[in-house]
Amino acid sequence: MPKMKTKRGAAKRFTKSGTGKIRRHRAYHSHILTNKTTKRKRRLRKSADVSRSDMKILKGCLPYL
């Protein structure tokens, strides 16, 4: 059986943590930052875990992650 192909767009956006969880970057931190509070922008800098329901979809997109 041939190897499965990785969805390259997903590979660039998600990484695996040391405990095996998939990490993602938060949205809304690219532009129009003057209207957002400093506290909000600081929180958007940090990465977050992918939800359980999205993990099932990502398993197909990232078979070797």
Side-chain angles (χ1 to χ4, degrees), residues 8-32:
R8 298 310 298 159
K12 291 167 190 174
R13 287 171 171 84
F14 301 99
T15 54
K16 201 172 194 179
S17 68
T19 56
K21 292 178 183 175
I22 297 178
R23 305 287 285 172
R24 64 171 177 84
H25 291 292
R26 293 182 188 273
Y28 306 108
H29 193 61
S30 56
H31 60 94
I32 315 177

mmCIF file of all heavy atoms in Angstrom, residues 8-32:
data_model
loop_
_atom_site.group_PDB
_atom_site.id
_atom_site.type_symbol
_atom_site.label_atom_id
_atom_site.label_comp_id
_atom_site.label_asym_id
_atom_site.label_seq_id
_atom_site.Cartn_x
_atom_site.Cartn_y
_atom_site.Cartn_z
ATOM 1 N N ARG A 8 -0.293 19.649 3.087
ATOM 2 C CA ARG A 8 0.809 20.566 3.375
ATOM 3 C C ARG A 8 0.342 21.835 4.091
ATOM 4 O O ARG A 8 1.056 22.400 4.905
ATOM 5 C CB ARG A 8 1.551 20.939 2.080
ATOM 6 C CG ARG A 8 2.188 19.752 1.374
ATOM 7 C CD ARG A 8 3.041 18.873 2.284
ATOM 8 N NE ARG A 8 4.161 19.618 2.835
ATOM 9 C CZ ARG A 8 4.821 19.269 3.937
ATOM 10 N NH1 ARG A 8 4.478 18.193 4.618
ATOM 11 N NH2 ARG A 8 5.825 19.987 4.369
ATOM 12 N N GLY A 9 -0.867 22.299 3.786
ATOM 13 C CA GLY A 9 -1.396 23.480 4.467
ATOM 14 C C GLY A 9 -1.567 23.231 5.952
ATOM 15 O O GLY A 9 -1.281 24.086 6.781
ATOM 16 N N ALA A 10 -2.027 22.031 6.301
ATOM 17 C CA ALA A 10 -2.208 21.669 7.712
ATOM 18 C C ALA A 10 -0.852 21.475 8.389
ATOM 19 O O ALA A 10 -0.684 21.835 9.552
ATOM 20 C CB ALA A 10 -3.038 20.397 7.817
ATOM 21 N N ALA A 11 0.112 20.932 7.678
ATOM 22 C CA ALA A 11 1.437 20.684 8.253
ATOM 23 C C ALA A 11 2.125 21.988 8.641
ATOM 24 O O ALA A 11 2.895 22.020 9.595
ATOM 25 C CB ALA A 11 2.297 19.913 7.251
ATOM 26 N N LYS A 12 1.833 23.057 7.908
ATOM 27 C CA LYS A 12 2.441 24.350 8.202
ATOM 28 C C LYS A 12 1.762 25.053 9.386
ATOM 29 O O LYS A 12 2.342 25.937 10.001
ATOM 30 C CB LYS A 12 2.357 25.250 6.968
ATOM 31 C CG LYS A 12 3.245 24.778 5.833
ATOM 32 C CD LYS A 12 2.916 25.493 4.544
ATOM 33 C CE LYS A 12 3.633 24.826 3.376
ATOM 34 N NZ LYS A 12 3.229 25.413 2.089
ATOM 35 N N ARG A 13 0.525 24.660 9.694
ATOM 36 C CA ARG A 13 -0.249 25.352 10.721
ATOM 37 C C ARG A 13 -0.274 24.663 12.077
ATOM 38 O O ARG A 13 -0.543 25.297 13.088
ATOM 39 C CB ARG A 13 -1.698 25.521 10.239
ATOM 40 C CG ARG A 13 -1.852 26.560 9.169
ATOM 41 C CD ARG A 13 -3.258 26.520 8.584
ATOM 42 N NE ARG A 13 -3.496 27.645 7.706
ATOM 43 C CZ ARG A 13 -3.144 27.700 6.425
ATOM 44 N NH1 ARG A 13 -2.492 26.678 5.882
ATOM 45 N NH2 ARG A 13 -3.405 28.755 5.691
ATOM 46 N N PHE A 14 -0.016 23.366 12.099
ATOM 47 C CA PHE A 14 -0.127 22.608 13.341
ATOM 48 C C PHE A 14 1.177 21.911 13.683
ATOM 49 O O PHE A 14 1.901 21.455 12.795
ATOM 50 C CB PHE A 14 -1.239 21.556 13.222
ATOM 51 C CG PHE A 14 -2.583 22.145 12.916
ATOM 52 C CD1 PHE A 14 -3.075 22.150 11.619
ATOM 53 C CD2 PHE A 14 -3.360 22.720 13.908
ATOM 54 C CE1 PHE A 14 -4.311 22.692 11.326
ATOM 55 C CE2 PHE A 14 -4.590 23.272 13.632
ATOM 56 C CZ PHE A 14 -5.069 23.251 12.341
ATOM 57 N N THR A 15 1.450 21.807 15.003
ATOM 58 C CA THR A 15 2.626 21.082 15.477
ATOM 59 C C THR A 15 2.201 20.161 16.611
ATOM 60 O O THR A 15 1.156 20.367 17.227
ATOM 61 C CB THR A 15 3.713 22.039 16.008
ATOM 62 O OG1 THR A 15 3.136 22.890 16.997
ATOM 63 C CG2 THR A 15 4.323 22.862 14.904
ATOM 64 N N LYS A 16 3.018 19.176 16.862
ATOM 65 C CA LYS A 16 2.730 18.230 17.930
ATOM 66 C C LYS A 16 3.502 18.633 19.173
ATOM 67 O O LYS A 16 4.683 18.970 19.098
ATOM 68 C CB LYS A 16 3.132 16.827 17.495
ATOM 69 C CG LYS A 16 2.459 15.726 18.256
ATOM 70 C CD LYS A 16 2.756 14.392 17.627
ATOM 71 C CE LYS A 16 1.837 13.321 18.164
ATOM 72 N NZ LYS A 16 2.096 12.032 17.561
ATOM 73 N N SER A 17 2.846 18.590 20.336
ATOM 74 C CA SER A 17 3.514 18.924 21.594
ATOM 75 C C SER A 17 4.204 17.679 22.144
ATOM 76 O O SER A 17 4.041 16.577 21.613
ATOM 77 C CB SER A 17 2.493 19.455 22.600
ATOM 78 O OG SER A 17 1.621 18.409 22.988
ATOM 79 N N GLY A 18 4.938 17.849 23.209
ATOM 80 C CA GLY A 18 5.655 16.733 23.815
ATOM 81 C C GLY A 18 4.742 15.660 24.359
ATOM 82 O O GLY A 18 5.102 14.483 24.396
ATOM 83 N N THR A 19 3.535 16.052 24.774
ATOM 84 C CA THR A 19 2.588 15.080 25.333
ATOM 85 C C THR A 19 1.721 14.432 24.266
ATOM 86 O O THR A 19 0.857 13.617 24.586
ATOM 87 C CB THR A 19 1.674 15.777 26.362
ATOM 88 O OG1 THR A 19 1.032 16.891 25.737
ATOM 89 C CG2 THR A 19 2.457 16.248 27.567
ATOM 90 N N GLY A 20 1.913 14.825 22.995
ATOM 91 C CA GLY A 20 1.160 14.212 21.900
ATOM 92 C C GLY A 20 -0.049 15.002 21.448
ATOM 93 O O GLY A 20 -0.750 14.588 20.531
ATOM 94 N N LYS A 21 -0.319 16.135 22.083
ATOM 95 C CA LYS A 21 -1.443 16.966 21.667
ATOM 96 C C LYS A 21 -1.029 17.805 20.458
ATOM 97 O O LYS A 21 0.145 18.084 20.271
ATOM 98 C CB LYS A 21 -1.862 17.900 22.809
ATOM 99 C CG LYS A 21 -2.463 17.181 23.989
ATOM 100 C CD LYS A 21 -2.802 18.163 25.078
ATOM 101 C CE LYS A 21 -3.342 17.442 26.292
ATOM 102 N NZ LYS A 21 -3.574 18.367 27.399
ATOM 103 N N ILE A 22 -2.006 18.205 19.666
ATOM 104 C CA ILE A 22 -1.725 19.050 18.500
ATOM 105 C C ILE A 22 -1.965 20.496 18.901
ATOM 106 O O ILE A 22 -3.001 20.840 19.474
ATOM 107 C CB ILE A 22 -2.593 18.629 17.299
ATOM 108 C CG1 ILE A 22 -2.249 17.193 16.891
ATOM 109 C CG2 ILE A 22 -2.384 19.572 16.130
ATOM 110 C CD1 ILE A 22 -3.074 16.655 15.761
ATOM 111 N N ARG A 23 -0.986 21.364 18.594
ATOM 112 C CA ARG A 23 -1.040 22.774 18.951
ATOM 113 C C ARG A 23 -1.359 23.615 17.716
ATOM 114 O O ARG A 23 -1.003 23.247 16.599
ATOM 115 C CB ARG A 23 0.308 23.230 19.525
ATOM 116 C CG ARG A 23 0.801 22.422 20.699
ATOM 117 C CD ARG A 23 0.041 22.682 21.960
ATOM 118 N NE ARG A 23 0.424 23.972 22.521
ATOM 119 C CZ ARG A 23 -0.200 24.540 23.553
ATOM 120 N NH1 ARG A 23 -1.214 23.955 24.124
ATOM 121 N NH2 ARG A 23 0.209 25.693 24.011
ATOM 122 N N ARG A 24 -2.014 24.751 17.958
ATOM 123 C CA ARG A 24 -2.362 25.679 16.881
ATOM 124 C C ARG A 24 -2.120 27.098 17.355
ATOM 125 O O ARG A 24 -2.032 27.357 18.551
ATOM 126 C CB ARG A 24 -3.829 25.516 16.493
ATOM 127 C CG ARG A 24 -4.778 25.885 17.624
ATOM 128 C CD ARG A 24 -6.221 25.944 17.186
ATOM 129 N NE ARG A 24 -7.102 26.222 18.313
ATOM 130 C CZ ARG A 24 -7.358 27.425 18.780
ATOM 131 N NH1 ARG A 24 -6.809 28.502 18.225
ATOM 132 N NH2 ARG A 24 -8.174 27.602 19.800
ATOM 133 N N HIS A 25 -2.034 28.023 16.394
ATOM 134 C CA HIS A 25 -1.914 29.430 16.726
ATOM 135 C C HIS A 25 -3.310 30.042 16.787
ATOM 136 O O HIS A 25 -4.224 29.578 16.118
ATOM 137 C CB HIS A 25 -1.073 30.162 15.687
ATOM 138 C CG HIS A 25 0.365 29.771 15.722
ATOM 139 N ND1 HIS A 25 1.192 30.092 16.775
ATOM 140 C CD2 HIS A 25 1.118 29.061 14.864
ATOM 141 C CE1 HIS A 25 2.395 29.606 16.542
ATOM 142 N NE2 HIS A 25 2.375 28.968 15.391
ATOM 143 N N ARG A 26 -3.451 31.080 17.576
ATOM 144 C CA ARG A 26 -4.758 31.728 17.723
ATOM 145 C C ARG A 26 -5.018 32.709 16.583
ATOM 146 O O ARG A 26 -4.089 33.298 16.036
ATOM 147 C CB ARG A 26 -4.828 32.467 19.057
ATOM 148 C CG ARG A 26 -4.805 31.527 20.252
ATOM 149 C CD ARG A 26 -4.917 32.298 21.529
ATOM 150 N NE ARG A 26 -4.701 31.441 22.677
ATOM 151 C CZ ARG A 26 -5.654 30.738 23.282
ATOM 152 N NH1 ARG A 26 -6.894 30.777 22.828
ATOM 153 N NH2 ARG A 26 -5.375 30.002 24.338
ATOM 154 N N ALA A 27 -6.282 32.894 16.263
ATOM 155 C CA ALA A 27 -6.694 33.811 15.202
ATOM 156 C C ALA A 27 -6.800 35.242 15.743
ATOM 157 O O ALA A 27 -6.647 35.461 16.946
ATOM 158 C CB ALA A 27 -8.029 33.367 14.632
ATOM 159 N N TYR A 28 -7.060 36.188 14.861
ATOM 160 C CA TYR A 28 -7.299 37.612 15.186
ATOM 161 C C TYR A 28 -6.059 38.333 15.695
ATOM 162 O O TYR A 28 -6.170 39.271 16.482
ATOM 163 C CB TYR A 28 -8.443 37.757 16.213
ATOM 164 C CG TYR A 28 -9.701 37.069 15.793
ATOM 165 C CD1 TYR A 28 -10.120 35.900 16.436
ATOM 166 C CD2 TYR A 28 -10.464 37.558 14.745
ATOM 167 C CE1 TYR A 28 -11.267 35.256 16.047
ATOM 168 C CE2 TYR A 28 -11.622 36.920 14.343
ATOM 169 C CZ TYR A 28 -12.019 35.766 14.998
ATOM 170 O OH TYR A 28 -13.158 35.127 14.602
ATOM 171 N N HIS A 29 -4.874 37.934 15.263
ATOM 172 C CA HIS A 29 -3.663 38.623 15.711
ATOM 173 C C HIS A 29 -2.813 39.089 14.531
ATOM 174 O O HIS A 29 -1.610 39.226 14.635
ATOM 175 C CB HIS A 29 -2.845 37.702 16.621
ATOM 176 C CG HIS A 29 -1.754 38.410 17.366
ATOM 177 N ND1 HIS A 29 -2.022 39.430 18.260
ATOM 178 C CD2 HIS A 29 -0.414 38.271 17.356
ATOM 179 C CE1 HIS A 29 -0.884 39.862 18.753
ATOM 180 N NE2 HIS A 29 0.114 39.186 18.219
ATOM 181 N N SER A 30 -3.469 39.327 13.393
ATOM 182 C CA SER A 30 -2.704 39.682 12.200
ATOM 183 C C SER A 30 -2.798 41.166 11.829
ATOM 184 O O SER A 30 -1.826 41.748 11.378
ATOM 185 C CB SER A 30 -3.135 38.823 11.018
ATOM 186 O OG SER A 30 -4.521 38.964 10.814
ATOM 187 N N HIS A 31 -3.954 41.779 12.029
ATOM 188 C CA HIS A 31 -4.096 43.193 11.668
ATOM 189 C C HIS A 31 -5.208 43.832 12.484
ATOM 190 O O HIS A 31 -5.909 43.153 13.230
ATOM 191 C CB HIS A 31 -4.357 43.367 10.160
ATOM 192 C CG HIS A 31 -5.587 42.685 9.679
ATOM 193 N ND1 HIS A 31 -6.778 43.322 9.576
ATOM 194 C CD2 HIS A 31 -5.820 41.404 9.292
ATOM 195 C CE1 HIS A 31 -7.701 42.465 9.128
ATOM 196 N NE2 HIS A 31 -7.152 41.303 8.967
ATOM 197 N N ILE A 32 -5.347 45.157 12.350
ATOM 198 C CA ILE A 32 -6.278 45.981 13.142
ATOM 199 C C ILE A 32 -6.022 45.748 14.633
ATOM 200 O O ILE A 32 -6.927 45.467 15.415
ATOM 201 C CB ILE A 32 -7.762 45.728 12.768
ATOM 202 C CG1 ILE A 32 -7.947 45.697 11.255
ATOM 203 C CG2 ILE A 32 -8.640 46.846 13.347
ATOM 204 C CD1 ILE A 32 -9.371 45.373 10.811
#
